[in-house]
């Protein structure tokens, strides 16, 4: 219904659906499979025992694959070999996360000259919190404390107050969180300076992936 509304009202000529790989009733012109190098097979078990939504054989429906968080120490080469067996000759891309910059929580834009008081206490409510904390360490930040809230968490002032107090006791001079969490936090009081790490995805052979997408769009 949302897609039809966009086509009729906005004259949309391309739709991108996140998390739609298992929505088999939906026709698609390009099926992109994203697989996390840090936890590619969800413990090897289907929901609810593991995190897999279907067996790995379902990857054969993909027109291409993108291995995300493909850091040198993530076992990406072995994963690429296994994924290539499932996708046959179809292309596989790799991507990794890189820092775009840091800003104060309520600042509208990044500040290249910003100096974050350290050590920091990091918190987030995302699907892969360990990746966020590891990214902070690789960025050179000293972590006094970390805390994970559930994914898509709906924050309350009491959550922030308790965390900030614990962070202060742990010796933290400031707090830091993700851009995804930041949109839910602007109305809260923190008691410590709070910063946001903005990250972006860098895709190897990005031009080739763009060509695949353009071809899929232009053929309709």
């Amino acid at each position: 219904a949302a897609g039809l509304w966009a086509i009729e009202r906005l004259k949309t000529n391309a739709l991108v659906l996140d998390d739609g790989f298992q929505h088999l009733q939906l026709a698609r012109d390009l099926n992109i499979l994203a697989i996390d190098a840090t936890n590619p097979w969800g413990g090897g078990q289907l929901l609810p025992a593991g995190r897999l939504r279907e067996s790995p054989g379902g990857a054969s429906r993909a027109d291409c694959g993108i291995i995300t968080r493909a850091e040198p120490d993530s076992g990406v080469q072995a994963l690429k070999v296994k994924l290539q067996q499932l996708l046959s000759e179809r292309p596989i891309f790799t991507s990794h996360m890189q820092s775009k910059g840091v800003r104060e929580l309520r600042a509208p834009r990044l500040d290249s000259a910003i100096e974050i008081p350290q050590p920091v206490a990091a918190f987030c409510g995302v699907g892969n919190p360990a990746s966020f904390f590891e990214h902070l360490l690789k960025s050179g930040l000293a972590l006094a404390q970390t805390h994970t809230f559930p994914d898509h968490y709906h924050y309350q002032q009491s959550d922030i107050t308790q965390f900030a107090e614990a962070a202060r006791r742990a010796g933290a001079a400031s707090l830091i969180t993700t851009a995804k969490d930041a949109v839910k936090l602007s109305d809260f009081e923190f008691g410590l300076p709070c910063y946001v790490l903005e990250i972006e995805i860098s895709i190897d052979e990005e031009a080739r992936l763009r060509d695949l997408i353009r071809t899929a769009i232009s053929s309709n």
Side-chain angles (χ1 to χ4, degrees):
L4 291 173
W5 184 92
I7 292 169
E8 294 171 359
R9 302 290 184 88
L10 305 177
K11 309 305 179 185
T12 299
N13 61 5
L15 301 171
V16 180
L17 179 65
D18 177 41
D19 248 355
F21 200 77
Q22 283 77 36
H23 188 358
L24 301 182
Q25 291 177 308
L26 182 71
R28 71 282 309 275
D29 299 290
L30 185 65
N31 215 15
I32 301 175
L33 173 65
I35 185 165
D36 188 340
T38 64
N39 187 19
W41 309 115
Q45 293 183 300
L46 297 170
L47 291 168
R51 292 178 60 85
L52 287 181
R53 301 179 186 183
E54 63 176 304
S55 67
S60 62
R61 299 196 308 275
D63 296 304
C64 67
I66 301 179
I67 300 175
T68 64
R69 298 190 176 94
E71 304 302 332
D73 57 352
S74 62
V76 64
Q77 290 305 317
L79 173 57
K80 192 171 184 178
V81 169
K82 185 170 183 178
L83 193 58
Q84 196 70 75
Q85 294 172 348
L86 297 170
L87 270 63
S88 187
E89 300 300 319
R90 282 156 286 180
I92 296 175
F93 304 91
T94 55
S95 72
H96 62 275
M97 310 300 292
Q98 60 185 23
S99 296
K100 186 177 180 181
V102 176
R103 61 177 173 85
E104 294 184 13
L105 177 65
R106 296 178 179 85
R109 60 182 62 86
L110 300 175
D111 183 353
S112 59
I114 200 168
E115 293 187 9
I116 302 176
Q118 297 194 56
V120 301
F123 69 101
C124 62
V126 297
N128 192 334
S131 177
F132 171 58
F133 300 144
E134 182 67 21
H135 195 95
L136 293 174
L137 289 172
K138 289 181 178 179
S139 298
L141 293 177
L143 299 184
Q145 187 180 46
T146 63
H147 186 78
T148 301
F149 291 93
D151 195 12
H152 304 293
Y153 189 67
H154 182 66
Y155 290 95
Q156 304 292 329
Q157 179 64 62
S158 58
D159 300 315
I160 301 303
T161 300
Q162 291 174 16
F163 174 68
E165 291 175 351
R168 194 189 300 275
R169 291 194 297 270
S174 62
L175 311 176
I176 192 165
T177 191
T178 72
K180 175 182 175 181
D181 292 284
V183 297
K184 310 173 188 178
L185 298 170
S186 60
D187 293 333
F188 297 128
E189 296 297 327
F190 288 84
L192 285 172
C194 186
Y195 299 89
V196 180
L197 175 69
E198 298 275 2
I199 59 176
E200 60 185 0
I201 297 176
S202 175
I203 301 176
D204 300 323
E205 296 186 89
E206 181 177 341
R208 187 182 178 196
L209 177 60
R210 287 180 178 273
D211 286 342
L212 282 176
I213 297 172
R214 289 193 181 100
T215 299
I217 294 174
S218 62
S219 63
N220 291 277

